[in-house]
Amino acid sequence: MRYVTIKDIADALEISKSTVSRALAGDVSNVSPATIDRVRSKAREMGYQRNMTAVNLRTKATKVIGIIVPEITTPFSMSFVSTVQDAMQPLGYRVLIAVSSEDPKRERQNLDMFETGRVDGILVSATHNLANRDRFENLVKSNFPIVFFDRTIKDLQCSSVCSNDSLMSFFLVEHLIYTGRRRIVNLTGPTYIENSLARSQSYREALEKFHIPYDSRLVVSSGLSVEDGAMAVERLINDGIDFDAIYCFTETQALGAKRTLQERNISIPDEVAICTMSGTQLSSFVFPQITAVEQNVAEMARIAVRLLLEKIEVPNSPQQNIVLHSTLVARGSTSADDA
Amino acid sequence: MRYVTIKDIADALEISKSTVSRALAGDVSNVSPATIDRVRSKAREMGYQRNMTAVNLRTKATKVIGIIVPEITTPFSMSFVSTVQDAMQPLGYRVLIAVSSEDPKRERQNLDMFETGRVDGILVSATHNLANRDRFENLVKSNFPIVFFDRTIKDLQCSSVCSNDSLMSFFLVEHLIYTGRRRIVNLTGPTYIENSLARSQSYREALEKFHIPYDSRLVVSSGLSVEDGAMAVERLINDGIDFDAIYCFTETQALGAKRTLQERNISIPDEVAICTMSGTQLSSFVFPQITAVEQNVAEMARIAVRLLLEKIEVPNSPQQNIVLHSTLVARGSTSADDA
DNA sequence: ATGAAAGCGCTAACAA
DNA sequence: TTGTTAGCGCTTTCAT
């Protein structure tokens, strides 16, 4: 088992390696058309296959970029990934995906894997605000092309693109209030997720605007999984806490909340409304009864790609933090809409 | 943006590159424990990341194997792939997946991609009996580690593992006859798929065994997609051809057949029974009303892995063709079962 | 238009 | 135990 090399072709044609290399690369201005033809057909004849490991070593580029996502269960990630692929394929890039499963250790391994594989750039949605901060800081300091999307790292001087969490969640809670809700549960994300804080902040501000008293029992810290969301709501019910709406940090939590309510035969949204920020339009099929504000994922992906390419092409381009003022389209309906 | 190299570490520690390389590789018998420690901590301190492109070029191995499948819609492929991954991960191999979408052109591109990427071996389920035969022949001739599974290439001297199509389909048709069916449709696969022939052959043999006359109108050549299956059955109905069972070449066809029957309000399996060979046990959830014979996919995957590793490790190991005499478990039921 | 030569970062003989 | 050296296959500058 031995591959044909450009040297083999060069020897067979009694020309130099460099000419073969040029011919194969289609360097029209430096190789005669006749030679190009001879080389090309010889290569085909001999079954030549370019050795990418050698090319990558030599050119110091792989034309591969990596995406690291915390999870792959919501449509958000899938949608983001496929938009990135559509955008980068025409530019000659391949896209590799790695899932961290909400685990900073895994995230670190994924970063390692992409670095040892010498990907040309990384798009990452972070699992944790602190855990891998040092790692990310080093990456940025060494000028490695990396762009954060959706879930960022607090105060890190690195390009990023995300939604305007504060504003959007403010409008969501406001929407609940407009539609007659008063006892609104806030399923917050873990404090180690940067977005979590902003969204909870907005919850308080919306309440204040409408002079609704803040009840700490309604603010529940919950994990990110469907199970976590389900359990949190179950605990509220068991504790006999009265509520007429749930504002969730993530889609997965919303899914869990919905499950618990259905198990308890609590009608949605007549008795309790659920709302969250949603990854994609697709989600409306998954969560028909859940009011959601759509993030523009495709837009986010395209911006992320643009920022990354800029970094790859211009090694010292400035860091940019883009905040998406997405169209605020509240979908679904709460019974109070009709009132 | 510049990566730390072993030379950087060597210079910083004022030792040679080779010692650094050995220390990093954990070559305990050739490097003093003290040196290993010094090197390791220096590497961490400097943020060293192994350059796999260089390693792969030097060692002429990537520890990556590629799987090429014609489609990824049935559970068969997913199941096969994940079993392979589970088997190879502990051995230090990564697994890459490429989908040909039933298109020989795509298949060729996938082969090219894997070769230029210098994967250590390829597992392939072929799209077409002839289209890429030359390509496969060259691969085998050059002694490249490649193993076929499920869909093979006729008369190609290459290791492979597949089910006993003839026997299993014979039993399936026999099962239909036992349960009272007489006018059995045979949705054959395209002739360019090797397995197609064997399965249709068995259909005839089963009929002959029970002295049921062969009716050529009941034998319909159909594409592989769900749509193809649906259209084929629609045509039969429109042509006023009478039948009480459909024997499909693939799961996807069976799914299409089911759809058409349901649209026409023809009850399954009371009026018309559907049967096919099934990729996995999972399929029973997808096709509750379809009688199926399970192939042992996990077993097939493990054997494929074994054959491939043999080829990778022993460059000149003999070709082996393994036929899986799977446990014949007909699932689902036809109404005639009760009769 | 073509060739000679250097070197990407690493491993693995061979030497010491 | 450590160092020296060669070379994996390719691209690219510099000569010609």
Side-chain angles (χ1 to χ4, degrees), chain B residues 48-78:
Chain B
Y48 171 77
Q49 291 284 356
R50 209 159 174 245
N51 185 336
M52 287 314 283
T53 66
V55 174
N56 294 340
L57 175 60
R58 175 63 229 235
T59 60
K60 289 164 165 285
T62 52
K63 283 283 180 181
V64 173
I65 72 125
I67 304 182
I68 304 179
V69 288
E71 51 79 28
I72 197 95
T73 52
T74 59
F76 177 86
S77 306
M78 294 300 286

Side-chain angles (χ1 to χ4, degrees), chain B residues 42 46 65 105 159 214 219-220 223 227 237 289 320 324:
Chain B
K42 198 65 175 178
M46 301 177 73
I65 72 125
K105 282 242 179 64
S159 286
Y214 176 83
V219 178
V220 182
E227 262 59 44
I237 296 173
Q289 298 141 313
Q320 296 178 59
L324 239 55

Side-chain angles (χ1 to χ4, degrees), chain B residues 6 17-18 21-22 48 50 58:
Chain B
I6 54 168
K17 281 195 310 177
S18 14
S21 175
R22 290 188 192 108
Y48 171 77
R50 209 159 174 245
R58 175 63 229 235

Side-chain angles (χ1 to χ4, degrees), chain B residues 187 226 229-230 233 246 248 253-262 274:
Chain B
L187 280 201
V226 175
V233 174
I246 307 173
C248 304
Q253 289 175 337
L255 211 55
K258 181 182 163 194
R259 203 179 68 188
T260 295
L261 294 185
Q262 281 177 337
I274 304 177

Side-chain angles (χ1 to χ4, degrees), chain A residues 6 17-18 21-22 48 50 58:
Chain A
I6 53 169
K17 281 195 310 177
S18 0
S21 175
R22 291 189 191 107
Y48 171 76
R50 208 158 174 247
R58 174 62 227 232

Side-chain angles (χ1 to χ4, degrees), chain A residues 112-185:
Chain A
D112 287 348
M113 193 188 70
F114 282 151
E115 281 204 87
T116 59
R118 292 298 188 267
V119 298
D120 292 347
I122 293 178
L123 295 176
V124 59
S125 181
T127 56
H128 199 289
N129 203 347
L130 301 169
N132 291 328
R133 164 175 269 280
D134 58 329
R135 194 75 170 67
F136 288 124
E137 262 170 359
N138 286 335
L139 239 20
V140 174
K141 208 185 313 171
S142 72
N143 220 15
F144 182 90
I146 182 169
V147 170
F148 288 83
F149 66 93
D150 191 39
R151 282 161 58 172
T152 59
I153 302 282
K154 191 184 166 91
D155 295 331
L156 187 70
Q157 288 298 319
C158 180
S159 286
S160 67
V161 49
C162 53
S163 300
N164 188 332
D165 286 313
S166 336
L167 195 66
M168 287 176 76
S169 43
F170 184 89
F171 278 112
L172 258 186
V173 177
E174 196 180 47
H175 169 80
L176 287 175
I177 297 172
Y178 276 141
T179 56
R181 312 293 168 166
R182 283 299 173 272
R183 297 197 49 77
I184 303 168
V185 170

